[in-house]
Amino acid sequence: VLVPLLRNVPGEGKNKAPLPRSVPLAVVLMIGLPLAATAFYGSTSNFPWNDPGMVGTGSHAQDGGSMDEVVAKLEERLRANPGDLEGWQMLGRSYLVSNRFEHAVSAYEKASALTGGKNPEIELDLAEALVLVDKPDSLDKAKGIIDAALAADGNNPKALWYSGLMAMRAGDNETAKVRFTKLLESDPPQQIRDILVAQLEKLGAPVPAAAGASPPAGMAGMGAGMGGGSGTAPAPSGRTIRIAVSLDPALASKLRPGTPVFVSAREAGIPGPPIAAVRITSDELPTTVVLSDANSMIEGRTLSSVDEVQVVARVAFGGTPVTTSGDLTGQASHRKGAPADLNVVIDKVAP
């Protein structure tokens, strides 16, 4: 901007004097533009100027702190500003990752109250937390939210999934079949399709021939974990983690033969479906499981796409991907670039 203002511009036509330099305007712009830009950025930026330590807590814990520290900072932030909707959502997600499901319910209820219960995404997050609490009163409330979501949008995938899951738990296999079939008809990604096909086969529901095709490499384990199916393990590719899974001898008496064991990896601090997962059985413990980019569960999301993953091994007595009370679990973290070998000891009982 300053260059054309400060240079001499020849006059047009014969005997025309050159145009004078616009020095005063150049000085005004040179001083005014930076000041205006600073004022504009300060008024529109969402950077936490008063608490730089909060940077990055919207996605996952950074190198500066553990998940407990992230939660503590969020709690402090919300005590100072209880009307922070995004903060309550972030706290709810953090509680879910930490398996503090009742705390997650409380956080999402605060977020729901701020929106008057009119934000469908927040309401379904609340329903998810209520399902994970797995108590009669919480399940009744979750069912009400999910039914309302389906009444508003009969194709809502999250509502269809949890409605089917709750129906299956309640022994209402017919409703579960309807929900999973509807979700299958929405043309989900192939990996999700394989999970639904395996579940429908377990429930004895007819599955279209095209939908029942053999699962792709990397999804065979997860499909089997949902109630059936098997496949050949894919050749590892990209980021690879070799996970030595073992059981704490103190929990050996709780193990039952043939129980599904899920080994999964998700982005640290982010709840929801895992990035990669395989399924084995308790008969195979101890063993070494390999997770790599070839085990991707969601198109476009691989182990290589995130810096830190939380690897969880879980003995699933309920036989489903959702943790239930009494499941045996163990976990460890793995950062990109770290040695590929990782030990995970199953040493805790889910509350």
Side-chain angles (χ1 to χ4, degrees):
V1 173
L2 295 177
V3 170
L5 293 175
L6 295 177
R7 71 185 177 189
N8 289 315
V9 180
E12 296 181 0
K14 190 175 180 181
N15 300 323
K16 294 288 185 180
L19 298 176
R21 293 183 296 174
S22 302
V23 175
L25 179 57
V27 172
V28 170
L29 288 175
M30 189 165 54
I31 297 173
L33 276 178
L35 291 176
T38 301
F40 178 78
Y41 184 75
S43 65
T44 60
S45 168
N46 60 7
F47 186 92
W49 299 102
N50 295 326
D51 188 7
M54 289 301 301
V55 178
T57 58
S59 58
H60 55 79
Q62 300 294 328
D63 293 339
S66 67
M67 177 56 63
D68 287 341
E69 291 171 332
V70 169
V71 168
K73 288 180 179 179
L74 280 170
E75 291 172 338
E76 181 180 355
R77 165 178 163 179
L78 290 165
R79 279 192 292 270
N81 183 15
D84 184 351
L85 176 61
E86 183 185 10
W88 287 115
Q89 290 179 272
M90 290 161 57
L91 185 61
R93 286 194 293 269
S94 299
Y95 281 144
L96 280 181
V97 171
S98 305
N99 292 328
R100 298 162 68 181
F101 302 135
E102 292 187 354
H103 288 76
V105 169
S106 178
Y108 283 130
E109 284 177 339
K110 296 283 178 55
S112 176
L114 289 173
T115 62
K118 297 183 190 246
N119 185 310
E121 181 182 350
I122 292 175
E123 295 307 297
L124 282 175
D125 286 341
L126 172 58
E128 179 178 30
L130 289 164
V131 170
L132 294 173
V133 168
D134 198 20
K135 293 181 179 178
D137 56 342
S138 67
L139 291 176
D140 288 342
K141 185 173 181 180
K143 186 176 186 304
I145 294 172
I146 292 168
D147 288 346
L150 287 174
D153 178 7
N155 295 314
N156 186 297
K158 190 170 185 177
L160 285 170
W161 168 252
Y162 277 106
S163 178
L165 183 64
M166 292 179 67
M168 187 174 64
R169 281 186 179 179
D172 184 1
N173 289 345
E174 292 307 311
T175 298
K177 290 176 187 177
V178 171
R179 299 291 186 256
F180 291 144
T181 299
K182 181 76 170 175
L183 191 53
L184 186 62
E185 290 171 351
S186 69
D187 194 26
Q190 184 63 45
Q191 295 90 339
I192 306 302
R193 175 180 292 272
D194 293 323
I195 292 174
L196 292 168
V197 167
Q199 191 57 61
L200 286 169
E201 289 175 345
K202 179 182 178 181
L203 293 170
V207 178
S214 299
M219 270 304 299
M222 199 63 179
M226 289 298 296
S230 61
T232 303
S237 64
R239 181 180 177 183
T240 300
I241 310 174
R242 290 187 295 272
I243 307 154
V245 183
S246 60
L247 180 72
D248 188 325
L251 299 180
S253 62
K254 296 182 179 294
L255 203 60
R256 296 197 295 265
T259 305
V261 178
F262 293 93
V263 182
S264 61
R266 57 170 41 85
E267 184 174 1
I270 303 296
I275 297 173
V278 295
R279 184 258 200 189
I280 57 176
T281 70
S282 57
D283 301 333
E284 300 174 63
L285 296 175
T287 188
T288 297
V289 171
V290 176
L291 290 180
S292 75
D293 289 350
N295 298 102
S296 174
M297 296 283 293
I298 302 172
E299 186 175 359
R301 289 278 286 169
T302 65
L303 295 177
S304 294
S305 68
V306 298
D307 290 330
E308 183 177 0
V309 293
Q310 181 185 44
V311 178
V312 177
R314 180 173 58 87
V315 179
F317 292 117
T320 73
V322 178
T323 302
T324 57
S325 179
D327 284 356
L328 310 180
T329 68
Q331 65 182 45
S333 296
H334 186 271
R335 292 193 66 83
K336 188 187 293 185
D341 294 307
L342 184 70
N343 290 321
V344 175
V345 179
I346 300 173
D347 57 358
K348 294 180 177 61
V349 180

